[in-house]
Amino acid sequence: MSADTVRTRAEARDWVLSRRAEGLRIGLVPTMGALHAGHLSLIRAAAAECDVVVVSIFVNPTQFGPSEDLERYPRRLEADLQAAGAAGARLVFAPEPEEMYAADAATWVTVEGLTDRLCGAARPGHFRGVATVVAKLFHILPAHTAYFGRKDFQQSVVIRRMVRDLDFDIQVRVMPTVREPDGLALSSRNAYLGPEERRRARCLVHALEEARRLFGEGRRDRMTLVRAMGEVVRREAPGANVEYIEVVDPETLEPAACAEEDSVALLAVRIGATRLIDNLPLVAPPDPVLPGA
Ligand code: AMP
């Protein structure tokens, strides 16, 4: 079943407030569309835990830098509506940029510290755009619980911090990364990869697995792990441009001088023109158990 679609903030808010007034629990899944199995896993998780699932599809211009892929970012609304509905979404909010941002919009949400490193260092203003649009979506679609993917680990930390600091009345759930059978994390940007690039893209998950393996052998020194990950990338994707490779504390995102069980290895690598990111905790968490599973 295809989900209902609304294009305006007023319709979206009315719809959600009406469902809330009926006593239903609302789950929200914010996306930029081009839905893949990673997005659909968030919708299914929301459907398992909430009465009603709302998905937003909005390619948010304020989180793209001037030389980034805003224009070329994949857009396929019709297919997304089908896929979202089949996964359990009841409503899709798909606004145009003009509906979301007044021409003279001047207010931004900036989460300091957490956003100046890792992806934030290479993409200035990116997390300001993300935090602002997510704050707006939380107001427009006042859900009980919002679902995000662990794939964008820094984003999930930034959003949890924003929710805490600004007292948003919403629970944030961060769900596991969905991967291709060979381990590559699903991403809308994987569509940009040519066949040889696609093969090389496996270096990201292989590097993370190497960090896990070394940690399992008792290696704790951050630089040992970072260097080993770099070697995997150089070996499997010669010429790839490494933006960062790090092992961090999962709350502060500070480099973990001495890696611990909850430390997170993460990296950003350009394969050809395509920027890919991935992360893994150094110790595999237990599989999440969904209600009814
Ligand atoms: P995006 O459309 O890229 O903005 O992603 C929307 C949401 O889907 C974000 O919370 C992402 O972290 C999440 N997501 C993207 N890729 C995956 C994946 N492979 N597995 C799980 N969640 C994902």
Side-chain angles (χ1 to χ4, degrees):
M1 195 174 74
S2 187
D4 290 347
T5 316
V6 291
R7 297 292 203 156
T8 67
R9 288 166 296 151
E11 287 170 294
R13 202 172 145 79
D14 284 353
W15 194 98
V16 174
L17 289 177
S18 302
R19 299 291 91 71
R20 278 188 83 115
E22 292 166 14
L24 300 176
R25 280 196 68 78
I26 318 291
L28 169 64
V29 181
T31 81
M32 298 207 299
L35 301 183
H36 53 60
H39 299 113
L40 301 181
S41 76
L42 299 182
I43 298 172
R44 287 196 195 96
E49 295 179 350
C50 304
D51 300 314
V52 170
V53 182
V54 178
V55 173
S56 63
I57 296 182
F58 180 57
V59 183
N60 174 35
T62 67
Q63 71 189 68
F64 286 77
S67 58
E68 294 185 350
D69 57 344
L70 174 61
E71 300 306 327
R72 101 183 252 233
Y73 197 85
R75 289 163 173 86
R76 32 175 191 264
L77 188 59
E78 280 313 311
D80 285 350
L81 296 179
Q82 282 293 334
R90 288 270 306 280
L91 183 77
V92 172
F93 174 49
E96 294 296 329
E98 301 71 36
E99 173 66 17
M100 283 298 274
Y101 293 106
D104 59 351
T107 308
W108 299 97
V109 178
T110 305
V111 179
E112 294 180 355
L114 292 177
T115 58
D116 61 12
R117 60 202 62 160
L118 306 171
C119 291
R123 306 185 71 190
H126 169 68
F127 287 113
R128 185 184 80 153
V130 169
T132 302
V133 81
V134 170
K136 286 165 68 69
L137 290 169
F138 285 176
H139 289 308
I140 297 164
L141 304 162
H144 297 87
T145 308
Y147 294 80
F148 293 87
R150 191 193 157 95
K151 151 85 176 18
D152 299 277
F153 184 72
Q154 186 174 13
Q155 170 175 283
S156 72
V157 176
V158 167
I159 287 164
R160 284 196 290 114
R161 184 70 67 87
M162 176 190 82
V163 164
R164 189 201 70 183
D165 289 352
L166 296 183
D167 298 297
F168 278 92
D169 186 18
I170 194 162
Q171 187 197 6
V172 173
R173 298 269 285 130
V174 180
M175 309 308 288
T177 302
V178 176
R179 297 176 179 280
E180 300 279 7
D182 67 1
L184 178 69
L186 293 184
S187 162
S188 306
R189 292 191 168 99
N190 291 351
Y192 300 153
L193 298 168
E196 174 58 20
E197 291 173 338
R198 170 65 186 78
R199 209 176 55 73
R200 293 181 176 207
R202 294 178 302 180
C203 73
L204 281 92
V205 68
H206 291 167
L208 296 169
E209 285 166 349
E210 177 67 358
R212 253 191 191 178
R213 192 184 67 76
L214 291 171
F215 185 83
E217 282 181 355
R219 312 295 282 273
R220 296 290 180 270
D221 174 54
R222 162 177 160 266
M223 278 317 295
T224 304
L225 303 178
V226 167
R227 273 196 216 103
M229 286 191 276
E231 274 162 31
V232 172
V233 172
R234 272 188 297 281
R235 190 170 63 237
E236 297 190 8
N241 189 351
V242 174
E243 198 176 277
Y244 64 78
I245 297 180
E246 220 9 305
V247 176
V248 301
D249 175 277
E251 296 294 324
T252 65
L253 302 180
E254 299 275 5
C258 176
E260 296 181 34
E261 294 218 342
D262 65 348
S263 301
V264 176
L266 65 194
L267 74 174
V269 179
R270 252 174 226 285
I271 306 284
T274 305
R275 182 176 180 279
L276 300 177
I277 60 172
D278 200 355
N279 71 88
L280 277 181
L282 289 178
V283 173
D287 288 338
V289 179
L290 292 173

